[in-house]
Amino acid sequence: MDAEKEVKTITREPETFQMNYIGKPLRRVEGLEKAMGKAKYVDDLKMEGMLYAKPVFSRHAHAIVKSIDTSEAENYPGIVCIVTSKDIPGENELGEVVHDYPMLVAPGDKTRFEGDMVAIVVARTLEAAKKGAELVRVDYEVLKPVLSIDEALKDDVHVHEPSNVKHFHRVRKGDIAAGFAQSDYIFENTFEVGYQEHAYLEPQGMVAVPDIDGGITVYGSMQCPYYVQSAVARVLGFELSRVRIIQTETGGGFGGKEDVPSYIAAPAALCAYLTGKPVKLVLSREEDLRMTSKRHPIRVWLKVGVKKDGTLMAVEAKVWGDMGAHGTLSPIVLWRSNIHAAGSYRVDNVKVDVWGVYTNKVPTGAFRGFGSPQVFFAFESMMDEIASKLGVDRLEFRRKNALSPGDATVTGQILDESTGAIETLEQAEKLSDWSNLLKRVEDFNQKNRLRKKGVGIAHIHYGVSLGAMGNPLDASGAFVQIHKDGRVGVHIGGTEIGQGMKTAMAAIAAETLGQKIEMIKVYQPDTSYVPDSGPTVASRTTLFSGNAVRKACEVLRKRMVETFADFMKVEPSKVKVTNGKFSCPVGEMTFGEVAAMCDRNNVPLSETGWFASPRLSWDPGKGYGDAYLTYAFATQIVVVEVDLITGAVKVEEVYTSHDVGRAINRDAVIGQIQGGFVQGMGYALMEFIKYDEHGRMMTENFNTYIIPTIHETPRFRIGLVEKPFELGPYGAKGIGEPSLIPTPAAVANAVSHAIGKRVKRLPIIPEYLLSLITQREAEVV
Amino acid sequence: MIGTSFSFYTPSTERELLITLSKGALPVAGMTDVMVKIRTGKMKAKALSSVSRIESLKGVQMADDAVTIMAATTYTELLENKGLKWRLPILLDAVSEIGSTQIRNRGTLVGNIVNASPAGDGLLVAYLLDGNLEICSNEGCRSVDVRDFVKGPGQVALAPGEYIRSVTLKIPPKDSLYAFVKVGQRSAMAISVASVGVLLRLNAGTIEDFRIALGSVAPTVVRPLELERNLVSLKMEDGLFKTLAGELMNYISPIDDIRASAWYRREVVKRIVENLSVYLKGVEKQ
Ligand SMILES: Cc1cc2nc3c(=O)[nH]c(=O)nc-3n(C[C@H](O)[C@H](O)[C@H](O)COP(=O)(O)OP(=O)(O)OC[C@H]3O[C@@H](n4cnc5c(N)ncnc54)[C@H](O)[C@@H]3O)c2cc1C
């Protein structure tokens, strides 16, 4: 790989004490098992008497189910049973936030997209289950499907009653009319952004098992075990105590395994409950692409007023998000669009409105960035447009309006000390050698007729954790147990989904306890150990679970220190614990020896930790207040080369600076930044979902849904700004999502710069770009 | 898990291969097309017989004016063959852009030709180099031009019981310039959205030989022979490629599909041909 990585740190608080793990590059604690193929993913689970389930999906995007005939399928060899809506003992409802998603469409009801399930076939083999699913005969009355935001807004065909259109959120700050009246220039533009598929390596899947406690245990690939627990309990009509969820090693999530695993677990659990046998339900890649959530296609209309001197005066935004057939998480995803639509700058007059619209397509949901990359693409495109009209340097224009500690955000939230916005702008400027870079690119463009380079910049902020809309969910627990041999077991409610959570938790536990990192075991999450810890989303796990682990470990460390001090007959303050050793002026013991001594003396060596978000003051009616606990900031500069003959774009250089509060595991932070960039670049340049006129997805596998490969991966220069966040464990904020968020905007701005015409749509596939290039050629001639 | 079963033969001689074919087996090579089609149900086969382990179907034979590539020779083996570097550099350019290393380790040129996709990169080069197939059965062998062999998208003149032994490609005239331009949705692991192959030989500024083949813009690869002939003996002048690009539009009939629109395919082929001089390369000396 030619990706050059370079880390620069410009701001760093003095260390309170010398740390062994925090901030160092750490090897992944679960890496070896994964690399050797030993890690157990859900499809690796096989159990005695296990049955296989295959859903019967709707053949139509919009249709009334007249009748379901299962007789032929039932007689097929190997079929155990065929489950329909009448077999559901609890509620026929999957939705976590919006309740409009029946698990199995009942006769007389409507299917609202091709991924709605009508029945589930349970069989002894996967082959028989597949065959059975083909043999279930469903009689439909086909309705006209609603397939675009425009069709949905007409509201003549309804996906759900009473309307396709829902006004979800608003921001109101200052006096918008006065803001525009005081502006010297006003800019207006509409931007459109498409779908994105998460493209996790492992498709969705679950194994549900009737367990020895008289309930159901579900194993599977997921981000949010507690969502799965409530969905299974709801559909089965069970008490929560009879539903236990254990996450298996998970091959990627990116938000795609936030709510969707509930929609796989509930059917699997129902089949297990009805048959009394373990049941496996794993989606094929095609089923996964058709049925499971995507990033929202969004349309953004923006109006921005500025003074001649470049001061932002007013921002008005209207945002429409395509929710697809079911509401699922849309209200909360679009809430983030609401908070971020007016950009990352100081501006006194703001008005934002956000609508969700139903269509007969795949339900859209959580995806790394959660409704913010789309609106930042729009806003940061406007920033470039304005800078070029004003004839000012784009970076300078951003710096002039950027947020500092003590400033108010677009929603009126006063920012804390951990606000590294300006630092990221300055670091990116240095990393890229900004003014020379612009000259270098200009030189290249002078010399080349058919290839043009462009430089793009984007500056973003990101509300870490769930924010005001998710306040009640924003708390996490941990359970830490030290065994008498000194080994440490850590249970948390957050999940490892490839992002490096286990390593971060092990590092925090090791650092806090003074034990060696290889003595820490972070278990697969299990809902029976740790109370509801909310979802593993919103870049919140290091912050929330990390704090919970730290708190539990602080108590345990204190107890061990006291036991050791007592034994050594010294003051506890004289005791040092580091790297698996307790020491004091009169002697030392290993961590294991102290643990054994505690065990002999009945000193309890298990403890729970809990971290909850402080209440936020957001007022949804007014659309004003504190939206998030804190914000992460980033500035990204990219260089692209455009082939004017074909419209192909290559991203060549990336300079990116991220304010992370504190990097817990330096290598993992770099990995997130590189991975987030590549995923954002795919969204910007090549990834799209295509539907035919009947609402059937045409791009149903990775031969037609194209994502970037290592060939498209550019060179990176990465910088970290570390301004510790006082509530974060060791000052950490989050990086999972901010790594991706600036990228679509930065890439689009670079392409616009290269061709001399504004890109207003993502993805910038060659076809769209060539249409801009030919328009531009016609204008110039 | 592909959810379907079939018999699989691995004969070690051509005679054994013929026995399996007489039982109804389908000849296959790297199976990089076949397995994809079987998994999605686009192809049903009760039995497959692989040519990959038949020694007599491996390797490349060089003659003065032509190169014969045996059916079981993989793309990787072609890329590693030093003799092809100056004889058929355009073939290597095309092959090096097919799929990925893993696909090239298995895939074959003959498989690409029989697959008869209008997007086949190897097929395009076979059109350009006047490829000729040696087709064998219990009755003996016959030879067929690739252009006559391909009947339409995915359709070829191969009867049950027949297999292909080899494909022979003509070495272009000495000092020819060449270009292979593939437009895909990304730089690797992508099917051509449009492709252009060109061979051009000039003599003191006059065109002596000109060939062009276009992929993914019609039901099969397009080779406009009449247009090619009209160019011979013309002076190589500014504007010639522009005129050519315009005329080529009459020979193609691209469609809108999942990967690109007809508009884009037309436009991009036109722009590539207009700017051919950017792409043309000379053969490196041995
Ligand atoms: C991920 C991926 C990427 C790809 N990228 C490209 C690309 O960039 N460009 C491109 O052109 N193609 C591409 N392909 C398609 C495929 O790899 C090529 O067409 C390849 O050349 C097929 O060769 P094969 O030996 O694998 O053929 P097989 O799959 O074995 O066979 C293909 C067809 O040829 C027939 N056949 C094979 N050998 C014989 C024989 N000796 N006699 C008679 N019939 C025979 C088979 O019956 C079958 O109909 C890609 C495929 C995949 C899976």
Side-chain angles (χ1 to χ4, degrees):
Chain A
M1 179 173 158
D2 64 350
E4 155 199 334
K5 73 176 183 197
E6 192 167 312
V7 184
K8 293 230 170 113
T9 305
I10 57 165
T11 324
R12 207 156 187 196
E13 299 297 302
E15 234 80 292
T16 41
F17 58 92
Q18 191 54 46
M19 293 203 259
N20 289 320
Y21 300 109
I22 303 297
K24 303 273 163 67
L26 301 173
R27 225 170 74 180
R28 276 184 176 248
V29 296
E30 88 291 8
L32 195 62
E33 304 262 282
K34 282 181 173 168
M36 295 184 52
K38 285 186 183 162
K40 289 272 180 264
Y41 294 84
V42 66
D43 213 15
D44 296 321
L45 296 189
K46 298 213 166 57
M47 293 180 193
E48 188 65 31
M50 189 173 80
L51 305 173
Y52 295 83
K54 265 285 149 192
V56 178
F57 290 105
S58 167
R59 281 187 211 290
H60 303 284
H62 199 192
I64 296 168
V65 174
K66 309 280 277 185
S67 62
I68 305 168
D69 175 3
T70 58
S71 51
E72 199 179 339
E74 269 158 14
N75 291 324
Y76 189 79
I79 301 293
V80 175
C81 65
I82 292 162
V83 179
T84 57
S85 59
K86 64 179 185 328
D87 301 311
I88 299 172
E91 266 178 72
N92 186 8
E93 175 55 54
L94 293 175
E96 186 67 28
V97 175
V98 180
H99 306 288
D100 66 5
Y101 195 168
M103 184 173 97
L104 292 167
V105 180
D109 283 351
K110 286 203 298 188
T111 66
R112 292 182 170 86
F113 83 115
E114 57 169 343
D116 272 334
M117 292 184 195
V118 176
I120 311 162
V121 177
V122 186
R124 288 196 183 84
T125 63
L126 182 58
E127 286 67 35
K130 274 187 188 166
K131 189 70 199 167
E134 283 168 26
L135 294 175
V136 172
R137 307 274 171 238
V138 185
D139 191 17
Y140 294 99
E141 179 190 330
V142 179
L143 306 172
K144 185 175 179 288
V146 177
L147 297 175
S148 67
I149 291 180
D150 284 321
E151 281 174 36
L153 289 175
K154 276 191 221 147
D155 222 11
D156 50 2
V157 178
H158 289 170
V159 179
H160 289 275
E161 300 305 332
S163 167
N164 293 332
V165 189
K166 283 194 174 176
H167 183 260
F168 280 135
H169 310 291
R170 68 179 66 187
V171 176
R172 297 286 185 273
K173 181 188 182 190
D175 179 344
I176 192 76
F180 284 122
Q182 290 157 20
S183 301
D184 295 317
Y185 303 103
I186 291 173
F187 296 82
E188 227 183 284
N189 248 322
T190 301
F191 299 88
E192 305 253 356
V193 189
Y195 287 102
Q196 187 176 22
E197 156 63 23
H198 307 82
Y200 30 66
L201 272 177
E202 183 202 23
Q204 308 262 358
M206 295 284 160
V207 174
V209 188
D211 63 31
I212 56 170
D213 295 317
I216 297 270
T217 298
V218 184
Y219 299 83
S221 187
M222 67 185 80
Q223 288 178 231
C224 307
Y226 303 92
Y227 285 5
V228 175
Q229 188 187 21
S230 11
V232 170
R234 181 167 57 235
V235 166
L236 293 184
F238 272 22
E239 310 79 28
L240 284 171
S241 56
R242 281 174 71 201
V243 179
R244 181 173 172 191
I245 311 296
I246 300 173
Q247 183 218 11
T248 46
E249 201 67 81
T250 293
F254 309 107
K257 291 175 184 165
E258 174 166 355
D259 59 327
V260 174
S262 305
Y263 318 152
I264 317 297
L270 175 60
C271 297
Y273 167 76
L274 293 172
T275 59
K277 297 269 172 56
V279 173
K280 179 184 278 187
L281 171 48
V282 176
L283 297 186
S284 71
R285 184 61 72 178
E286 287 85 353
E287 289 169 336
D288 192 302
L289 260 101
R290 285 180 186 284
M291 176 192 161
T292 72
S293 73
K294 308 277 176 281
R295 193 189 292 290
H296 286 70
I298 284 184
R299 174 182 298 166
V300 187
W301 170 86
L302 273 176
K303 186 174 167 187
V304 181
V306 283
K307 284 268 195 214
K308 276 201 189 91
D309 69 358
T311 308
L312 286 175
M313 293 305 294
V315 176
E316 186 177 356
K318 292 182 184 165
V319 178
W320 295 267
D322 185 338
M323 304 192 283
H326 303 291
T328 66
L329 303 174
S330 284
I332 56 174
V333 175
L334 295 173
W335 190 69
R336 200 177 268 286
S337 310
N338 185 46
I339 301 304
H340 294 302
S344 310
Y345 305 96
R346 256 181 291 111
V347 50
D348 290 336
N349 307 295
V350 180
K351 180 174 184 226
V352 180
D353 285 279
V354 178
W355 292 267
V357 302
Y358 282 119
T359 57
N360 291 114
K361 296 183 294 178
V362 65
T364 44
F367 197 141
R368 203 176 197 175
F370 218 63
S372 77
Q374 298 99 315
V375 295
F376 276 121
F377 155 65
F379 197 85
E380 286 297 295
S381 296
M382 283 297 257
M383 288 296 283
D384 263 25
E385 192 76 5
I386 296 168
S388 98
K389 292 273 160 63
L390 295 179
V392 297
D393 178 79
R394 292 179 278 164
L395 198 145
E396 206 40 58
F397 176 46
R398 287 176 170 84
R399 180 170 20 218
K400 182 179 169 61
N401 291 288
L403 293 162
S404 297
D407 282 345
T409 65
V410 289
T411 69
Q413 180 168 355
I414 305 299
L415 290 168
D416 59 36
E417 273 311 305
S418 179
T419 297
I422 302 229
E423 286 85 342
T424 65
L425 278 159
E426 286 172 355
Q427 192 176 52
E429 180 177 22
K430 262 194 221 144
L431 286 172
S432 66
D433 194 4
W434 176 250
S435 49
N436 281 325
L437 173 65
L438 293 176
K439 274 197 219 98
R440 177 154 62 84
V441 163
E442 199 164 310
D443 278 356
F444 178 93
N445 289 344
Q446 293 279 317
K447 291 192 193 109
N448 289 278
R449 189 175 57 89
L450 297 169
R451 287 182 301 144
K452 297 286 179 195
K453 288 191 197 257
V455 181
I457 176 168
H459 174 68
I460 61 109
H461 72 311
Y462 174 81
V464 178
S465 81
L466 299 176
M469 273 286 279
N471 228 185
L473 280 174
D474 236 356
S476 291
F479 173 63
V480 180
Q481 189 179 6
I482 300 175
H483 296 279
K484 57 190 172 199
D485 60 358
R487 299 267 166 176
V488 181
V490 176
H491 284 276
I492 64 163
T495 51
E496 170 69 54
I497 51 173
Q499 83 280 45
M501 176 284 282
K502 282 186 179 173
T503 312
M505 294 308 123
I508 289 170
E511 199 71 68
T512 313
L513 289 170
Q515 177 59 302
K516 293 190 170 122
I517 196 167
E518 54 277 17
M519 308 298 266
I520 316 284
K521 167 99 190 148
V522 184
Y523 291 98
Q524 291 304 126
D526 178 335
T527 53
S528 67
Y529 277 81
V530 177
D532 190 342
S533 297
T536 294
V537 301
S539 310
R540 68 186 280 276
T541 302
T542 298
L543 175 57
F544 279 76
S545 294
N547 268 325
V549 169
R550 186 177 180 174
K551 286 188 175 181
C553 289
E554 276 166 356
V555 174
L556 291 169
R557 176 190 169 114
K558 186 158 173 279
R559 278 190 210 139
M560 290 178 80
V561 165
E562 283 165 2
T563 307
F564 175 73
D566 199 38
F567 178 73
M568 290 290 180
K569 312 246 177 322
V570 296
E571 281 299 306
S573 63
K574 295 276 182 299
V575 178
K576 271 210 192 105
V577 200
T578 178
N579 230 344
K581 259 203 182 68
F582 282 73
S583 56
C584 68
V586 298
E588 58 175 50
M589 280 170 92
T590 66
F591 195 94
E593 285 164 350
V594 179
M597 187 163 69
C598 290
D599 180 63
R600 282 196 303 275
N601 295 318
N602 292 342
V603 176
L605 281 191
S606 68
E607 191 51 58
T608 58
W610 185 250
F611 177 76
S613 164
R615 288 276 131 186
L616 297 165
S617 70
W618 176 257
D619 181 333
K622 286 203 190 117
Y624 189 80
D626 290 1
Y628 288 97
L629 208 46
T630 186
Y631 296 85
F633 295 84
T635 302
Q636 191 160 80
I637 293 169
V638 305
V639 181
V640 301
E641 188 175 306
V642 177
D643 179 339
L644 294 185
I645 300 176
T646 63
V649 179
K650 187 162 175 17
V651 177
E652 298 192 321
E653 303 164 41
V654 180
Y655 307 94
T656 190
S657 171
H658 295 264
D659 159 30
V660 297
R662 162 82 73 188
I664 298 282
N665 175 359
R666 195 151 289 256
D667 275 5
V669 170
I670 303 295
Q672 283 292 320
I673 292 171
Q674 293 172 335
F677 182 88
V678 174
Q679 198 165 36
M681 178 183 77
Y683 187 44
L685 293 179
M686 58 180 77
E687 300 181 30
F688 61 84
I689 296 279
K690 223 178 208 169
Y691 277 95
D692 71 10
E693 70 273 24
H694 307 293
R696 286 193 69 84
M697 190 182 289
M698 297 158 81
T699 42
E700 53 159 24
N701 208 329
F702 295 132
N703 57 339
T704 46
Y705 185 85
I706 303 293
I707 62 173
T709 70
I710 196 73
H711 281 272
E712 285 77 34
T713 303
R715 276 203 326 271
F716 288 95
R717 289 191 75 189
I718 295 168
L720 302 181
V721 171
E722 298 190 272
K723 288 186 92 177
F725 169 49
E726 59 165 325
L727 293 177
Y730 299 96
K733 294 196 279 198
I735 185 62
E737 297 170 275
S739 62
L740 178 148
I741 296 165
T743 306
V747 170
N749 279 340
V751 173
S752 298
H753 182 223
I755 64 166
K757 202 168 168 71
R758 178 66 37 204
V759 164
K760 292 188 191 169
R761 236 169 70 189
L762 297 182
I764 314 166
I765 53 173
E767 175 139 10
Y768 168 56
L769 190 52
L770 200 58
S771 74
L772 294 181
I773 292 169
T774 51
Q775 281 170 32
R776 164 95 186 152
E777 286 167 353
E779 287 161 14
V780 171
V781 164
Chain B
M1 182 70 66
I2 64 163
T4 168
S5 54
F6 49 81
S7 313
F8 185 63
Y9 302 106
T10 51
S12 49
T13 63
E14 289 179 67
R15 180 177 298 184
E16 283 176 14
L17 172 66
L18 281 171
I19 296 171
T20 62
L21 299 189
S22 68
K23 290 192 203 148
L26 185 77
V28 296
M31 301 178 68
T32 58
D33 277 318
V34 165
M35 288 308 286
V36 175
K37 288 184 177 172
I38 289 179
R39 180 180 171 277
T40 56
K42 286 199 187 103
M43 182 179 206
K44 305 242 185 283
K46 281 210 289 292
L48 304 179
S49 187
S50 171
V51 302
S52 304
R53 297 195 193 160
I54 301 174
E55 227 26 68
S56 59
L57 295 183
K58 287 210 148 271
V60 179
Q61 285 138 31
M62 315 279 182
D64 284 348
D65 59 344
V67 170
T68 297
I69 296 167
M70 304 306 293
T73 314
T74 65
Y75 289 130
T76 299
E77 286 161 351
L78 295 179
L79 291 173
E80 285 167 355
N81 190 310
K82 295 217 169 58
L84 290 176
K85 285 212 167 59
W86 59 274
R87 287 185 176 89
L88 300 178
I90 189 168
L91 175 68
L92 298 190
D93 271 17
V95 165
S96 65
E97 290 198 35
I98 290 179
S100 59
T101 306
Q102 292 92 324
I103 295 295
R104 292 190 295 268
N105 282 343
R106 293 200 58 86
T108 63
L109 182 56
V110 165
N112 195 263
I113 293 170
V114 181
N115 193 50
S117 156
D121 296 316
L123 182 64
L124 183 138
V125 175
Y127 266 66
L128 208 55
L129 299 178
D130 299 325
N132 186 278
L133 298 167
E134 187 185 11
I135 301 181
C136 302
S137 69
N138 274 323
E139 266 77 76
C141 295
R142 62 190 174 104
S143 109
V144 182
D145 277 348
V146 169
R147 284 203 300 276
D148 299 327
F149 177 72
V150 176
K151 297 293 179 198
Q155 286 157 8
V156 292
L158 190 73
E162 288 186 321
Y163 70 95
I164 296 176
R165 273 202 94 227
S166 67
V167 54
T168 298
L169 304 175
K170 293 223 182 79
I171 298 172
K174 238 175 129 237
D175 300 330
S176 290
L177 301 173
Y178 69 95
F180 175 78
V181 189
K182 172 172 173 170
V183 180
Q185 289 170 288
R186 69 181 159 211
S187 60
M189 288 288 280
I191 307 282
S192 294
V193 157
S195 51
V196 180
V198 175
L199 284 166
L200 167 69
R201 188 177 143 80
L202 295 172
N203 189 348
T206 302
I207 296 173
E208 238 181 38
D209 182 51
F210 182 84
R211 294 181 234 173
I212 187 163
L214 306 170
S216 294
V217 288
T220 60
V221 172
V222 173
R223 179 96 199 261
L225 294 174
E226 183 195 346
L227 193 63
E228 291 179 0
R229 274 194 298 271
N230 292 343
L231 287 177
V232 172
S233 4
L234 292 185
K235 277 257 169 263
M236 189 57 229
E237 287 168 338
D238 279 0
L240 183 76
F241 288 145
K242 204 167 166 86
T243 316
L244 171 66
E247 285 176 24
L248 266 179
M249 295 299 108
N250 301 322
Y251 290 82
I252 63 177
S253 49
I255 52 162
D256 289 334
D257 71 7
I258 199 164
R259 295 191 168 84
S261 69
W263 174 82
Y264 178 72
R265 291 188 155 102
R266 257 177 199 285
E267 192 65 27
V268 82
V269 165
K270 193 172 105 217
R271 295 171 77 94
I272 289 169
V273 175
E274 282 173 356
N275 292 291
L276 260 187
S277 46
V278 179
Y279 300 101
L280 285 168
K281 299 196 263 191
V283 180
E284 278 171 43
K285 290 285 166 295
Q286 24 180 322

